[in-house]
Amino acid sequence: MDDEFSTISEMCSAFDVTPRTLRFYEAKELLFPKREGQKRLFTRSDRARLTLILQGKRFGFSLEEIRQLLNLYDIDDQQETQLCKTIDASRRHLAELERKRDELNDAIRDLKVQMDWMANRLTEIQQD
């Protein structure tokens, strides 16, 4: 990728996304590539935004939530508002991820108990 601009194929390769994904993010006003005719040229800012978009999705943020947080970057307060709101949202998402993890751990434990019971029962049946 060139320092100034990246093509859609370079972005797809670098971030392991599809052209459709990039066009979708552009339509949702998450990315703002420059246009040369039909050609999209992504800036360093677009690359940074895409990194944050993909992280946000991984952490469970909605695209609208990500868009709102990214748009706070342009407020002239040295990112204070953006950072405060991102920390608040991150705390909520962390709590939700931890809740889901706990539910999964419970389900895994319960499934193991059931599997042990079935294996023991099968052994009993086979010994009769």
Side-chain angles (χ1 to χ4, degrees):
M1 277 191 291
D2 158 309
D3 283 338
E4 190 66 31
F5 295 106
S6 300
T7 65
I8 197 165
S9 61
E10 290 169 332
M11 291 287 283
C12 290
S13 177
F15 291 93
D16 195 27
V17 296
T18 65
R20 183 177 182 201
T21 297
L22 294 176
R23 288 189 295 270
F24 179 75
Y25 290 158
E26 181 182 2
K28 293 291 183 183
E29 299 179 342
L30 292 163
L31 296 175
F32 304 95
K34 306 286 184 228
R35 294 294 200 122
E36 279 185 6
Q38 295 292 341
K39 191 175 184 181
R40 287 174 174 84
L41 297 173
F42 295 87
T43 64
R44 290 179 56 177
S45 175
D46 290 316
R47 292 192 296 269
R49 286 175 73 93
L50 184 56
T51 297
L52 295 172
I53 292 164
L54 297 174
Q55 283 179 338
K57 283 182 44 81
R58 182 170 170 249
F59 300 150
F61 287 69
S62 70
L63 290 180
E64 178 57 23
E65 197 171 18
I66 293 167
R67 187 186 65 73
Q68 290 175 6
L69 292 171
L70 287 174
N71 287 344
L72 294 174
Y73 179 81
D74 295 327
I75 295 175
D76 193 20
D77 69 351
Q78 299 180 342
Q79 294 178 284
E80 181 180 357
T81 302
Q82 184 186 41
L83 292 170
C84 287
K85 291 194 180 282
T86 301
I87 288 169
D88 290 343
S90 296
R91 284 186 179 125
R92 287 191 307 275
H93 285 281
L94 178 59
E96 180 63 15
L97 288 172
E98 288 173 337
R99 183 190 65 74
K100 287 179 181 179
R101 179 200 57 208
D102 293 344
E103 286 179 2
L104 281 172
N105 284 337
D106 290 346
I108 290 167
R109 185 187 61 248
D110 293 346
L111 181 57
K112 286 179 178 180
V113 168
Q114 288 297 316
M115 290 172 65
D116 288 344
W117 180 88
M118 289 183 282
N120 290 335
R121 181 67 184 122
L122 186 58
T123 300
E124 290 172 4
I125 292 170
Q126 291 171 342
Q127 288 176 353
D128 288 343

